[in-house]
Amino acid sequence: METLYGAIDDGAIAVRTPKHAKKELEAYLDCGLLCRGFARLRCERCEESRLVAFSCKGRGFCPSCLGRRMCATAANLIEDVLPEVAHRPWVLTFPFPWRRRLAQDGASFGVLTRIFVESVERFYEERAARRGACGAVKSGAVTVVQRTSGDMRLNPHLHVVFLDGAYHEDGTELVWNELGHLRTR
């Protein structure tokens, strides 16, 4: 790490490394090392004992911590959040000239995210209304922001799981209107 930081400071590598990136990278290098801290777990039944190294709980570089977080989030969405109806994934990417600005300007990125999600939800809701859903029609979505592409280049983009349809009230119960295989014409 010191060699890398020295090359950056000397100008040999033309990279600007923000403090938060350095902090996360250094935490990743310590992740899972017993010499950096651990907890001892003991089974009360069989008396077996194991040491479990502390993790960095990182969100950017550490594949172990990031993978654990992704699995926990997916399980929570499937078990506790998303209804048992059809879903459809959507991805929104932005033009190259916008990416650096969006990565640094959270307010603008948030506005664009809301515009996208509300537009697609409105699309589902209007489609359900045209197919006969009466009264208030409502769809839903879960949005995940991803900040890099697979090669770790700056690429803020959205992964959104939309309900592939919409609900409407029929008296006292909610009725699901699955739209499936929608065409945008």
Side-chain angles (χ1 to χ4, degrees):
M1 286 302 301
E2 296 307 317
T3 304
L4 174 64
Y5 291 156
I8 292 170
D9 291 341
D10 293 343
I13 300 175
V15 173
R16 188 182 136 274
T17 310
K19 286 181 186 177
H20 69 276
K22 285 183 181 181
K23 183 179 175 184
E24 180 132 351
L25 183 57
E26 289 165 4
Y28 163 62
L29 294 175
D30 289 339
C31 185
L33 298 177
L34 291 173
C35 64
R36 299 296 188 190
F38 60 88
R40 180 182 301 272
L41 303 179
R42 185 181 321 255
C43 176
E44 291 179 1
R45 270 191 276 145
C46 70
E47 296 294 318
E48 182 181 347
S49 176
R50 288 194 180 166
L51 300 180
V52 179
F54 293 146
S55 66
C56 66
K57 297 178 182 66
R59 295 177 178 230
F61 295 111
C62 184
S64 176
C65 292
L66 190 56
R68 187 170 38 252
R69 182 184 305 271
M70 287 187 322
C71 288
T73 299
N76 178 54
L77 287 173
I78 290 168
E79 294 169 6
D80 299 325
V81 176
L82 295 170
E84 292 186 27
V85 298
H87 302 96
R88 185 174 301 266
W90 291 58
V91 177
L92 176 65
T93 60
F94 298 98
F96 288 104
W98 294 17
R99 291 178 183 181
R100 182 172 302 277
R101 168 84 187 272
L102 290 176
Q104 296 172 348
D105 185 354
S108 295
F109 194 49
V111 168
L112 289 174
T113 300
R114 268 190 304 286
I115 290 170
F116 173 67
V117 171
E118 289 170 359
S119 297
V120 176
E121 282 180 339
R122 201 166 34 254
F123 166 78
Y124 279 114
E125 292 162 4
E126 289 171 0
R127 197 62 165 244
R130 273 191 260 141
R131 289 191 178 182
C134 54
V137 179
K138 193 68 182 153
S139 189
V142 175
T143 304
V144 176
V145 175
Q146 194 167 348
R147 301 200 176 279
T148 61
S149 53
D151 59 1
M152 296 302 288
R153 290 187 181 169
L154 183 63
N155 179 15
H157 59 285
L158 304 173
H159 291 265
V160 188
V161 176
F162 285 92
L163 301 182
D164 197 21
Y167 285 98
H168 77 274
E169 286 188 49
D170 187 14
T172 59
E173 66 178 340
L174 288 176
V175 177
W176 172 246
N177 302 278
E178 185 170 329
L179 302 181
H181 304 300
L182 294 174
R183 294 200 175 110
T184 57
R185 283 195 267 160

